[in-house]
Structures are given as structure tokens and as C-alpha cells.
Amino acid sequence: MTRYSGNPQVDEYLPAKIESSGSDAVKLDSHVSTTHRNASPFIPDWKDAETFRRDVQLLNHQGFIHNAQRFTPRLTAESIIILVQVHSRPDQLQMLIDSFRKMRYINETLVIFSHDFYSQDVFDVIAKIDFCPYMQIFYPYAIQVYNSQFPGNDPSDCPRNIQKDEARKRKCNNAEYQDFYGHYREAPYSQTKHHFLWKLQFIFENCSLLRTFEGLIFRIEEDYYLAEDTIDYMRKLDRQARIQCPEYKMYIMGAYSDYSRDDYKSSAARKDRWYTGIGRGMAFKKHFWKLFKKCAKLFCLFDDYNWDWSLMHVTTTCIPGGFKILKPVGSRVFHIGICKGFHQNSNCKTADVVNNVQGILSRNRNYLFPEHVYIHQSFALRTYPAVHNGGWADIRDHEMCLRIFNNQSMSTEEMNKIHQKLFS
């Protein structure tokens, strides 16, 4: 039975009815009303923390499927869902979406955009998608909203570079909690790790549409570019892996940086073990989440604001044998965001990076969409120790991370209680 919120603007965007046809399949109802399909989508109010929490809780719970009137994918154990972590780079997001438009089978693929920043420009880019079904979910603890309290920057928090003796004299909140390098937390960096964790927890445990989904979750960033045969190749790789090496349950679909070699002729994928820096574009199933969640404490307490280095720590200390992966020799995922972001390169232009990627794909066009995917014998499976990059010593981040793992929501009042408990 459809539930209504009482807010007409929200009620126009209630989700499509979901029908299950067995434990491994979900189908979107094709008889959804199209009365309001051209109306402006309801967006949460980012100006007030409590209103934002209410709006986000409602929207995330509803899970509205855009374009459901035109596209009705069946989400089976062989399906792929693309999960995009989005921040505030509409120009690069547009390039990613442009690559989506060219991909075969994208009309059958549900794309989920996970937001941690209010940007009308970003929302406008996504709203133009007319070639596939998509959802938008909203990270509920965005520092843009919590801009004067944790998890944003509390005015009484210690500045990043202040010495500990001076911090104690000032009695700033987190004076006792410097990181490995003697620095205090910076909210924009902390948010990335929290957001990474939250969207996985939401997808695997809180999203009603995906509660019985056993297929692949393909996690990417807003500043990636995908080859047009990405979905096709991943389907064939997954099919072959289940026959030939079922213990390999994660796929890395692109190189980390060096993707200029034309290695597409063989259509092969190689065996390896996951480590930070091996590549981009992670595809995994519930098996990954179940293993990862058992190691929550190690992930949440590791002094590194980077989710990937923290995950590296988990794989080397908590998961026997680590995550065994398959990776295509010829990249299907490319990073185009090297000119922007936390680690900026002022000597490059994103358009030039995209042109280079398109040149690689054009030169290898005849080798895309291979009839068969072959799996090479493994390298000597490598192991690497995780290193501390710091930025994650504040016990509030530890507490929040553990609560996200445990699906414990946090209102402003609850956050204040946590703050008082930890620093009183």
C-alpha cells in the first residue's frame, strides 16, 4: 500500500511499486503514473539540519526510481547496479554521464547517485538523464548542513596545525586527539570516509529495493569515464569467474593511472589480490559487505581519512587471504579528475584527459565487446602493508563510523549527547 507524507511536492515522487518474482529477482512496476514525470524533483532542504534530516530520511526511504516509466530492469543475481559517489564537480559528472549514454545495456542498468553536497548544478546534470533508470540517495550527515558542529567544523574544535600544548591551553574540543602526524581533524577529509561507508551500509542493508539483490554493485566516483563495453565485459567476466574461479569475488575494472597501453587484444583478465593503488572501479557482491562488516572496528579506528587505505588495513589484518580480484588487462574505467580535487594538478586540463581516454578507446574499438573473456593465471599474489596517512584520530569520527556500521541513526540531539559523553 502506498504511503503519503502529507507534502504534495514529496508525494509526487513516491517510488515505483516493487514486485518480486522469486528471491533473486526484482521488477519495477511498469504501470506507474506518469502525471508528474516532468515536474522538478523534490530536493532536501540543506539550510537547516533538522529539516534536512527529515527530508533525507523520507527520500532515502522512498527510493524513487526516475525514468521507471520507460525502463523496467529486472534485478537478478546476474545484474549490475552502478553506484556513483557524487560531491560537487558537475563538469566531470557530465563527462561520466556522457560515457554512460554510450554504454551498451545501460538502459537495463540502475544507476544510483549518492550525494554529500547540495549543488543545483549537479542536480541539473543528473535530471537530464533520459536513457536509463536512476535513483538519488543523500548522505544524511553532510558537513554542508552540519557546518558549525560535528561532523562539520565545530567552532570549538582545534585548528589542524596547532601544537598540542597550545590546544590544551585553549581547551578546544579535541585537544587530546591529534593524528599520527600531530594534526587535528579536517571535516572535508573525514566526510569522504564516512560517506563511502554510509552508502554501502545503506545499499546492502537499508534500501528496500535491493534487500534481496545478489548481483554486482559497481562502485565508481563522479570523476571517472567508462568504456562503452564496461557492462558487457563485466557480465562476461562475472559469468566466467563463477565457473573458473568462484573464490574471486571482486573485480577492478580500470588501472590506477597508467592506462596508455593498448592491452585490449586478448580480452583477458588477470588474477591478483586487492591493494590500494591496484586500480579503480570496484565491483562486488554482498559477500564483500559481510566480510567487511566483521572488521568494522579495524576500519573505524585506523588513523587514515582515506577509505581505501583503511580498507587496505582491514584486508591485511582481518580478512584471511585478503580480497582476491580479477582485473581486465585493458582498462574499462578511467580517472579523469586528476586536474581537480584534493590533490590538484594545475598543469592539466580535464578535456585533454578525456580526449586521451577517448583516443585509447578509439584505437582499440575493434577489441571492445569481446565474444569471450579469458582469465589468466595469477601473478605471485602480492601483499602490501597499510600505512597511516592520518586525519582520523578524533574519537567522534570513530564513534560515528561504528554507528554507521551498526545502522544507528544520529539526530542533532544524539550527536550532541555523543559530544558531551566523549569530551565531558
Side-chain angles (χ1 to χ4, degrees), residues 326-346:
L326 297 172
K327 179 183 175 183
V329 177
S331 290
R332 264 61 184 186
V333 172
F334 305 85
H335 182 217
I336 62 173
I338 59 175
C339 304
K340 296 183 180 181
F342 288 139
H343 309 290
Q344 295 186 8
N345 182 347
S346 60

Side-chain angles (χ1 to χ4, degrees), residues 95 225 336 349-359:
M95 294 175 185
Y225 191 95
I336 62 173
K349 296 180 180 178
T350 302
D352 293 338
V353 178
V354 173
N355 287 337
N356 180 41
V357 169
Q358 291 175 336

